[in-house]
């Protein structure tokens, strides 16, 4: 469509524009690539429908050569995009998941949750929750069954993972699952949060010295979640008023948080880690910082050395055996 700057009502750089006539133009995350066999990684993928009534779907990945005798970890992945752009079919995400599945030898399910503004929050969280319920249904062989999950997944090795907004979603699902009936059916072994999208009204860390980027991220959140709580809405700020007690209720044994040195969100990732290890949560918390890189660099530059290191770190995390339920802390910086 032709875009005339005078017609733009809201420019949500770099994601989308809203025009005065109500038209929405997504700028980022709009390209798609079909599933299939990736010749570079020898990973096979296909698209599946989870809830026909709402259209919630996913792209599922597995190694092309696989034995039913050995069950593999399942990683339920939630993509980023500030809740308003991208999908599992976006080429950088498809490439990233192919590489991760090949490196880790896992099954991965990338959830295609519905986006803002057509589907206001908390729709993305609810779609992701429904995907977990659907996965759990495979243990009882009821409902809509997917052969790749039924035949190849070890249900004692289920992980949640996501980058940016997807890391935020994984956090909220892990809080919700412990107090639900789903928590009796599906055990989450760990969570991998890559550059998680948490925020707040009061600046911290790198936000203190980068007012323009702080205002930009403020603008993103106020668009996708226009509530009176603003950037201190509990969906985006888990530590309103300094509270962190809820983290003790995270339904998993291990969490890996990955941050990037130049990312404006870095301070929020470190804050999450610090609050987590002090919260009384009885699991193993780890954090890794990549030097010289910015937000989701591994998605857009997947072949660089640091992206390869990040993928290998995640692969190691998803393949560690079940650990004793005790508090351990570990941090590392990679350059």
């Amino acid at each position: 469509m032709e875009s005339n700057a005078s017609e733009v009502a809201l420019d949500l750089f770099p994601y989308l524009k809203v025009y005065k006539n109500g038209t929405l133009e997504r700028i980022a995350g709009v390209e798609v690539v079909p599933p299939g066999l990736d010749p570079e990684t020898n990973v096979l993928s296909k698209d599946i429908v989870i809830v026909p009534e709402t259209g919630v779907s996913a792209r599922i990945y597995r190694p092309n050569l696989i034995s039913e005798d050995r069950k593999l970890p399942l990683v339920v992945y939630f993509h980023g995009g500030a809740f308003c752009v991208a999908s599992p079919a976006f080429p950088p995400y498809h490439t990233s998941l192919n590489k991760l599945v090949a490196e880790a030898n896992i099954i991965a399910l990338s959830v295609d949750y519905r986006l803002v503004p057509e589907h206001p929050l908390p729709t993305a969280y609810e779609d992701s929750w429904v995907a977990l319920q659907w996965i759990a249904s495979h243990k009882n062989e009821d409902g809509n069954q997917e052969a790749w999950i039924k035949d190849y997944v070890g249900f004692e090795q289920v992980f949640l993972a996501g980058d940016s907004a997807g890391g935020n979603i994984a956090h909220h699902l892990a809080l919700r699952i412990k107090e639900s009936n789903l928590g009796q059916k599906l055990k989450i072994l760990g969570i991998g949060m890559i550059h998680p999208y948490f925020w707040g009204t009061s600046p911290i860390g790198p936000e203190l010295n980068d007012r323009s980027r702080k205002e930009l991220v403020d603008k993103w959140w106020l668009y996708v979640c226009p509530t009176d709580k603003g950037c201190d809405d509990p969906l985006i700020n888990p530590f309103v008023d300094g509270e962190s007690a809820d983290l003790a209720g995270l339904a998993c044994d291990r969490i890996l948080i990955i941050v990037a040195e130049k990312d404006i969100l870095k301070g929020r990732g470190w804050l999450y880690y610090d609050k987590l290890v002090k919260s009384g949560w009885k699991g193993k918390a780890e954090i890794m910082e990549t030097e010289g890189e910015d937000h989701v660099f591994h998605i857009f530059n997947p072949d660089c050395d640091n992206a390869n290191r990040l993928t290998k770190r995640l692969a190691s995390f998803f393949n560690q055996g079940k650990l004793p339920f005790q508090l351990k802390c570990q941090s590392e910086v990679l350059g």
Side-chain angles (χ1 to χ4, degrees):
M1 63 174 285
E2 293 187 4
S3 27
N4 185 327
S6 64
E7 298 175 353
V8 176
L10 175 66
D11 186 352
L12 203 70
F13 179 84
Y15 298 117
L16 54 81
K17 293 181 180 179
V18 181
Y19 293 86
K20 290 182 179 179
N21 64 2
T23 303
L24 175 74
E25 179 189 14
R26 284 191 170 86
I27 301 168
V30 295
E31 301 90 350
V32 297
V33 64
L37 179 62
D38 178 57
E40 180 181 340
T41 59
N42 202 28
V43 168
L44 191 62
S45 61
K46 64 180 179 179
D47 292 335
I48 55 177
V49 176
I50 295 175
V51 185
E53 294 80 6
T54 61
V56 175
S57 62
R59 180 163 291 187
I60 189 168
Y61 299 79
R62 71 169 177 85
N64 189 30
L65 301 177
I66 192 170
S67 170
E68 292 187 26
D69 297 334
R70 181 188 174 193
K71 302 298 185 183
L72 301 180
L74 171 65
V75 174
V76 186
Y77 193 88
F78 309 100
H79 68 80
F83 297 98
C84 60
V85 299
S87 73
F90 183 46
Y93 278 118
H94 184 66
T95 297
S96 179
L97 266 291
N98 278 325
K99 288 179 176 292
L100 180 60
V101 169
E103 181 67 36
N105 195 36
I106 57 174
I107 308 296
L109 184 91
S110 184
V111 179
D112 193 8
Y113 56 85
R114 290 172 290 173
L115 302 175
V116 172
E118 296 90 341
H119 304 281
L121 294 180
T123 301
Y125 299 99
E126 294 303 323
D127 288 350
S128 301
W129 180 254
V130 168
L132 287 188
Q133 292 178 313
W134 175 78
I135 290 166
S137 72
H138 288 71
K139 295 183 69 174
N140 301 322
E141 298 189 356
D142 49 77
N144 175 22
Q145 295 281 300
E146 166 52 47
W148 290 8
I149 294 177
K150 182 179 178 182
D151 295 340
Y152 303 128
V153 166
F155 280 95
E156 74 285 355
Q157 304 175 81
V158 178
F159 294 82
L160 305 181
D163 65 280
S164 197
N168 176 300
I169 290 173
H171 158 79
H172 284 287
L173 295 186
L175 283 178
R176 182 174 176 179
I177 194 172
K178 190 166 188 178
E179 302 302 325
S180 72
N181 292 333
L182 184 60
Q184 308 301 317
K185 301 176 183 178
L186 189 66
K187 167 66 178 176
I188 303 300
L189 188 56
I191 306 174
M193 296 183 185
I194 310 153
H195 312 160
Y197 183 24
F198 299 116
W199 203 237
T201 300
S202 299
I204 64 170
E207 304 158 28
L208 292 166
N209 300 315
D210 197 339
R211 182 174 178 179
S212 61
R213 291 179 78 188
K214 172 70 168 73
E215 291 175 350
L216 190 64
V217 181
D218 286 348
K219 187 176 180 181
W220 296 344
W221 179 254
L222 296 174
Y223 174 73
V224 301
C225 188
T227 68
D228 58 358
K229 297 176 183 177
C231 292
D232 284 332
D233 189 290
L235 289 177
I236 196 68
N237 186 356
F239 310 120
V240 178
D241 299 325
E243 293 297 326
S244 61
D246 284 351
L247 294 182
L250 287 166
C252 62
D253 294 353
R254 295 162 37 220
I255 292 180
L256 170 64
I257 304 158
I258 300 177
V259 298
E261 180 188 12
K262 296 181 178 180
D263 187 1
I264 191 68
L265 301 182
K266 181 183 78 169
R268 302 291 168 173
W270 274 103
L271 177 64
Y272 189 98
Y273 172 77
D274 291 339
K275 294 284 189 180
L276 180 62
V277 299
K278 297 173 183 177
S279 68
W281 175 71
K282 301 183 184 301
K284 179 182 179 182
E286 305 170 68
I287 188 165
M288 167 183 140
E289 179 173 333
T290 308
E291 292 183 336
E293 302 290 359
D294 210 327
H295 192 62
V296 297
F297 72 92
H298 64 296
I299 299 294
F300 295 101
N301 191 11
D303 295 319
C304 71
D305 289 344
N306 279 335
N308 290 329
R309 292 189 187 107
L310 188 154
T311 300
K312 289 180 183 295
R313 184 67 188 85
L314 283 170
S316 174
F317 179 73
F318 296 141
N319 279 285
Q320 293 175 22
K322 195 171 184 180
L323 296 173
F325 200 62
Q326 58 185 359
L327 178 63
K328 297 182 180 179
C329 306
Q330 177 180 340
S331 64
E332 56 185 298
V333 176
L334 294 184

